[in-house]
Amino acid sequence: MKVAVVKYNAGNIFSVIHALQRMGVEPVLTDSAEELRSADRVIFPGQGEASGAMHYLREHGLDTLIPSLKQPVLGICIGQQLMCRHSEEGDVDCLGIFNADVKRFIPVRHQDKIPHMGWNTIQAYGSPKNSPKGGLLSFPYGGDGEGQFVYFVHSYYVPICEHTAAVTEYIHPFSSAMHKDNFYATQFHPEKSGEVGQHILKNFLEIEC
Amino acid sequence: MLAKRIIPCLDVKDGQTVKGTNFLQLRQAGDPVELGKLYSRQGADELVFLDITASHEGRKTFTDMVQKVAAQIDIPFTVGGGISELSDVERMLSAGADKISVNSAALRRPELIDEIVSRFGSQVCVVAIDAKQDEKGWTCYLNGGRIPTERNLFEWAKEVNDRGAGEILFTSMNHDGVKQGFACDALSQLASLLTIPVIASGGAGQMEDFRDVFAKGHADAALAASVFHFGQISIPELKEYLRKENINVRV
């Protein structure tokens, strides 16, 4: 299986590559349209800032390429946010795959700290089409990822929308996983989420096309 | 709900853990990567690796170790010790660390915090503060607690918060190594003063100390070394205990 990781100016891409290597997959890190189109799976990872990332994607023609991909694509963290219509971070238009706009967390109580950082639980959300059996969040234990702890680091979030596949509660409920057609996304970092995260990555590699 | 974090801390010198361990099941008890993996399997939420090497050679060994940890361990980890300028931060992040911690260098030149935050983001910047309480109050110390400064703990912690650091790792020198519990009063004051998470360090002796640091000290995370290394407290038992005490932990 050929797994391509989208190369762009986002930080900490190597943790995804290491996670795949631990699963015996040797991914290619690339911004080449040809390589991305021909891969069996594409991962769009990263930590970073939305407007700077979008600028890079536009300069490299990836802003039109990524939404046109036909194989399973997994956005992680800022990847999920960039797959939405617009982000408040740098007030930037994004890839428009998911019909949602990215907002900044606003603390309500003193103990609401930004970024939302650490381990929090996910709950499956929406119709079964968003978390199909054999899909991203299917677990041999506990159903569709119900109550599993995963690792988050983010200051912006995607509100609950028609493409929400899992919800996490921090200050208020938000989309911690999303799904539309061949596009999957997680706000959390599966590559840093221990066994649960590795299971989610494995699910992604095994999704039937 | 966001879980409270349990963080084992490993002191590393010339590529080997310094404080001894009684993990006989490890092939190499002194190998920080093996020990980190074991803690990760046991349910540690993050790991901290502190480089206590002074030599240039040792620094290189430490960077090699960070690369191995990044390749082999699938939970977040922080590295600290000897980070004094942006190039050190860059070296550690490119080796695969998720976060770095700065201590003395930030006290000597607080602008370093702003520089790290604007270049790499708040989430990578942990500021470690070693402080000691005496009749004048809580004073910050430099160089691993060897040199007192003029800075007060709360005033410095607030400045660190306002400069955009992602977290504060507070070690009470009065409590460190004594195993009589964390500095819950000071921690609770920090929690109400700050808008960033606080990692409590120094004083862990028994499981009740962890309950108190979360319930009374309002810490976001608790760090400990010897109670884990010597097996006095096992992480799975600790988490089960905390869950029964209604502390939200990842199990």
Side-chain angles (χ1 to χ4, degrees):
Chain A
M1 173 177 286
K2 182 178 168 193
V3 178
V5 175
V6 180
K7 183 179 164 189
Y8 70 118
N9 58 339
N12 216 355
I13 280 174
F14 292 103
S15 60
V16 173
I17 292 177
H18 286 312
L20 291 166
Q21 287 169 338
R22 283 193 293 269
M23 299 165 69
V25 175
E26 191 57 55
V28 282
L29 177 63
T30 181
D31 58 6
S32 135
E34 198 180 325
E35 290 227 66
L36 290 169
R37 273 213 191 86
S38 67
D40 301 304
R41 296 287 183 277
V42 173
I43 297 183
F44 183 38
Q47 273 174 19
E49 192 275 323
S51 61
M54 275 311 299
H55 182 74
Y56 182 97
L57 295 176
R58 285 205 186 91
E59 273 192 334
H60 292 75
L62 295 170
D63 60 324
T64 50
L65 177 84
I66 294 170
S68 75
L69 291 172
K70 300 293 179 228
Q71 68 275 58
V73 177
L74 175 64
I76 296 174
C77 193
I78 186 88
Q80 168 175 293
Q81 297 179 5
L82 295 175
M83 285 158 86
C84 294
R85 273 186 313 230
H86 179 272
S87 175
E88 279 186 5
E89 188 179 21
D91 186 22
V92 67
D93 284 334
C94 301
L95 302 176
I97 295 165
F98 298 127
N99 297 326
D101 297 330
V102 181
K103 309 277 183 207
R104 187 173 168 85
F105 276 123
I106 295 167
V108 175
R109 305 165 305 166
H110 174 74
Q111 59 266 44
D112 296 333
K113 293 163 185 178
I114 317 287
H116 171 222
M117 182 179 57
W119 297 83
N120 206 333
T121 49
I122 52 175
Q123 307 295 333
Y125 182 88
S127 64
K129 80 178 165 64
N130 282 353
S131 47
K133 280 278 168 262
L136 195 63
L137 304 176
S138 111
F139 282 83
Y141 40 92
D144 293 333
E146 211 66 30
Q148 298 293 333
F149 276 98
V150 288
Y151 188 77
F152 291 88
V153 189
H154 61 125
S155 302
Y156 292 78
Y157 70 95
V158 183
I160 291 172
C161 68
E162 58 182 304
H163 304 305
T164 302
V167 167
T168 292
E169 176 87 33
Y170 189 69
I171 303 178
H172 44 68
F174 68 89
S175 296
S176 44
M178 302 178 80
H179 174 227
K180 179 194 176 187
D181 306 326
N182 57 317
F183 294 97
Y184 299 80
T186 64
Q187 178 59 64
F188 55 88
H189 288 273
E191 76 280 12
K192 283 286 166 187
S193 296
E195 272 178 42
V196 171
Q198 180 160 330
H199 188 84
I200 290 171
L201 287 174
K202 185 168 162 282
N203 282 345
F204 174 69
L205 298 181
E206 289 174 357
I207 281 170
E208 287 178 29
C209 306
Chain B
M1 200 165 68
L2 192 62
K4 301 289 189 182
R5 289 170 280 154
I6 300 294
I7 309 178
C9 178
L10 288 76
D11 287 350
V12 179
K13 189 176 184 187
D14 301 319
Q16 295 287 304
T17 51
V18 177
K19 290 179 186 167
T21 74
N22 68 350
F23 284 114
L24 300 174
Q25 68 265 48
L26 290 181
R27 273 173 293 139
Q28 291 180 295
D31 180 354
V33 183
E34 288 292 314
L35 187 55
K37 268 198 219 170
L38 177 72
Y39 285 138
S40 166
R41 280 200 299 276
Q42 289 184 336
D45 297 303
E46 286 183 34
L47 299 169
V48 170
F49 295 89
L50 281 184
D51 181 13
I52 58 164
T53 318
S55 69
H56 179 74
E57 271 294 286
R59 284 283 141 76
K60 172 149 187 340
T61 313
F62 188 74
T63 309
D64 293 344
M65 183 217 73
V66 172
Q67 284 173 340
K68 283 189 197 135
V69 171
Q72 297 183 37
I73 292 182
D74 55 7
I75 59 170
F77 70 99
T78 302
V79 297
I83 290 180
S84 55
E85 47 191 279
L86 270 186
S87 63
D88 298 322
V89 178
E90 180 149 35
R91 182 165 45 91
M92 287 297 131
L93 295 180
S94 22
D98 297 286
K99 313 178 196 180
I100 54 86
S101 83
V102 283
N103 191 337
S104 305
L107 266 170
R108 290 202 175 91
R109 198 175 69 81
E111 297 76 20
L112 179 62
I113 299 168
D114 310 54
E115 292 165 13
I116 296 170
V117 169
S118 72
R119 178 100 173 261
F120 304 105
S122 316
Q123 77 282 353
V124 308
C125 183
V126 180
V127 176
I129 304 177
D130 297 331
K132 192 160 142 186
Q133 186 181 31
D134 58 22
E135 60 280 1
K136 291 179 293 182
W138 283 93
T139 304
C140 298
Y141 277 68
L142 287 168
N143 292 27
R146 287 192 288 272
I147 306 170
T149 68
E150 299 296 309
R151 303 297 300 257
N152 167 272
L153 164 65
F154 300 103
E155 171 249 338
W156 171 234
K158 184 76 174 77
E159 180 176 338
V160 166
N161 183 115
D162 296 346
R163 284 182 182 273
E167 287 176 284
I168 284 177
L169 165 54
F170 162 54
T171 303
S172 162
M173 295 165 56
N174 303 73
H175 296 73
D176 199 22
V178 184
K179 295 181 189 278
Q180 297 289 316
F182 293 89
C184 290
D185 290 341
L187 283 159
S188 174
Q189 280 187 62
L190 285 172
S192 51
L193 176 72
L194 306 176
T195 58
I196 59 175
V198 176
I199 304 165
S201 160
Q206 36 193 329
M207 298 208 281
E208 289 77 5
D209 299 333
F210 287 88
R211 174 197 62 200
D212 292 346
V213 80
F214 296 127
K216 297 182 187 158
H218 305 290
D220 297 277
L223 177 143
S226 56
V227 288
F228 297 137
H229 299 334
F230 292 106
Q232 282 147 330
I233 295 177
S234 87
I235 294 172
E237 272 173 17
L238 173 61
K239 287 202 156 178
E240 194 51 38
Y241 165 81
L242 290 172
R243 203 179 57 80
K244 285 188 184 140
E245 294 286 325
N246 292 316
I247 307 285
N248 182 37
V249 287
R250 177 179 71 114
V251 284

